[in-house]
Amino acid sequence: MTPYKRRSFLGLFLALAARVSYAALPIESKKPLPENIKGWSPDWLIGTSLDLISETNDLQMRFGESGIVSVTAGPKGGPWAAPLFPWRIENKKLFIGDSTQPSDGLEFVSMTGTKLRVRSKGKEVVYEVSR
């Protein structure tokens, strides 16, 4: 297989994988976010998208009922990957993937309007929350 064909195949595969990962995610009809959110809860996470506010990276997480989150990630402008990961809440932290290390969890800091502040590995990051 020539390098051109391999790149074309990889591009087609990534495009299909992104579509399949979103199609496989069972998300309910969009209800409004509850007010006064004070921490992580499946009640408000299921059916919610978190979009990282960053000048250099794109990261979107869409949470489904079945304990699966679709993560679309990559540098601004692409290329992106869109894998599916398990998610869980443990000791007031949100964990994406299979990690059991406390430092890998996202710690809820605050939510004002649609802006969510979390602490990840000691750094504070901001997400736009939508449904």
Side-chain angles (χ1 to χ4, degrees):
M1 186 180 290
T2 67
Y4 175 76
K5 285 184 180 180
R6 271 191 293 242
R7 281 194 305 267
S8 297
F9 177 74
L10 179 61
L12 177 62
F13 174 77
L14 290 174
L16 290 174
R19 289 185 181 157
V20 168
S21 67
Y22 278 117
L25 197 61
I27 295 182
E28 292 181 2
S29 61
K30 299 183 181 195
K31 301 173 190 167
L33 282 170
E35 293 186 24
N36 300 323
I37 294 173
K38 302 290 185 202
W40 298 119
S41 168
D43 295 338
W44 71 268
L45 271 175
I46 293 172
T48 300
S49 292
L50 303 181
D51 293 287
L52 178 68
I53 298 174
S54 169
E55 293 183 11
T56 57
N57 295 309
D58 283 329
L59 173 66
Q60 180 187 60
M61 297 183 282
R62 297 186 69 194
F63 293 85
E65 285 185 18
S66 54
I68 299 294
V69 60
S70 171
V71 178
T72 303
K76 285 280 186 197
W80 300 295
L84 298 175
F85 290 111
W87 66 274
R88 69 190 187 289
I89 299 168
E90 206 173 279
N91 297 323
K92 298 184 181 181
K93 288 187 175 184
L94 174 65
F95 289 88
I96 307 294
D98 295 321
S99 176
T100 57
Q101 300 299 317
S103 61
D104 291 339
L106 297 177
E107 182 182 345
F108 186 98
V109 174
S110 67
M111 186 157 162
T112 307
T114 59
K115 301 290 190 262
L116 170 66
R117 292 189 176 292
V118 302
R119 193 166 292 113
S120 174
K121 298 186 180 187
K123 291 172 53 178
E124 201 167 288
V125 293
V126 180
Y127 290 90
E128 180 76 29
V129 180
S130 63
R131 285 219 166 160

